Amino acid sequence: MGDYDTSISVAVPPGRLFSYLADVQNLPAYMPRLTSAQPHDGDQVTVTAHIEPAGEPEQDVRSEAWIRVVEEGRSLEWGAPGPHDYRGRLHVAAGDDAHHSRLSVELHTERVEGDRVDEGLAQTLRGIKTAVEAAEGGT
């Protein structure tokens, strides 16, 4: 079993950051390889990703996931069906001042890949930071 967590400072007020993250259609702007995210049926989301599996041709794959927006506490919880019990949580908190936020991510998976998962989480947080700061005119 693998449990991972990390955080990053974002130069956007917490309310704006949370609003950006709560819009599921923004996922492809900051998730590596994700090309679309279509919400439907409550908290269900159909996602499409462009992957390059070892020894196979590049391909687009579709999958189902769920995302819950938790207004109280400014969190997003997500997961995907499958054998790895893949689920996680993004949490937005106040930063050092009114113009900054602290974004944390927690991930649980039965598939333990250590450094690869840590780097993926860090890459995703950097992607969120870059996308939302650009969208909001931050620095």
Side-chain angles (χ1 to χ4, degrees), residues 4-139:
Y4 304 87
D5 63 85
T6 191
S7 62
I8 195 168
S9 178
V10 182
V12 173
R16 287 191 196 153
L17 176 58
F18 182 70
S19 292
Y20 181 87
L21 294 170
D23 184 347
V24 174
Q25 293 180 342
N26 284 328
L27 282 168
Y30 59 83
M31 291 292 295
R33 296 177 295 284
L34 204 61
T35 58
S36 74
Q38 298 301 318
H40 60 90
D41 302 325
D43 62 4
Q44 299 299 300
V45 180
T46 300
V47 294
T48 304
H50 186 77
I51 62 170
E52 300 174 17
E56 296 180 39
E58 292 182 25
Q59 56 189 288
D60 289 333
V61 294
R62 290 174 56 120
S63 182
E64 292 297 316
W66 56 267
I67 296 179
R68 291 187 194 111
V69 176
V70 183
E71 297 284 340
E72 185 175 329
R74 292 185 178 141
S75 296
L76 272 74
E77 299 170 348
W78 77 89
H84 301 297
D85 191 24
Y86 178 78
R87 64 184 189 278
R89 178 176 177 250
L90 281 171
H91 177 72
V92 176
D96 294 335
D97 60 43
H99 303 289
H100 287 80
S101 303
R102 190 82 189 151
L103 178 62
S104 303
V105 62
E106 301 166 6
L107 178 71
H108 171 84
T109 181
E110 292 299 318
R111 188 174 174 179
V112 180
E113 297 179 352
D115 291 341
R116 185 171 169 210
V117 174
D118 286 331
E119 178 52 36
L121 290 177
Q123 182 181 12
T124 298
L125 288 182
R126 286 190 306 266
I128 292 170
K129 175 181 175 66
T130 299
V132 75
E133 286 177 356
E136 296 297 322
T139 57

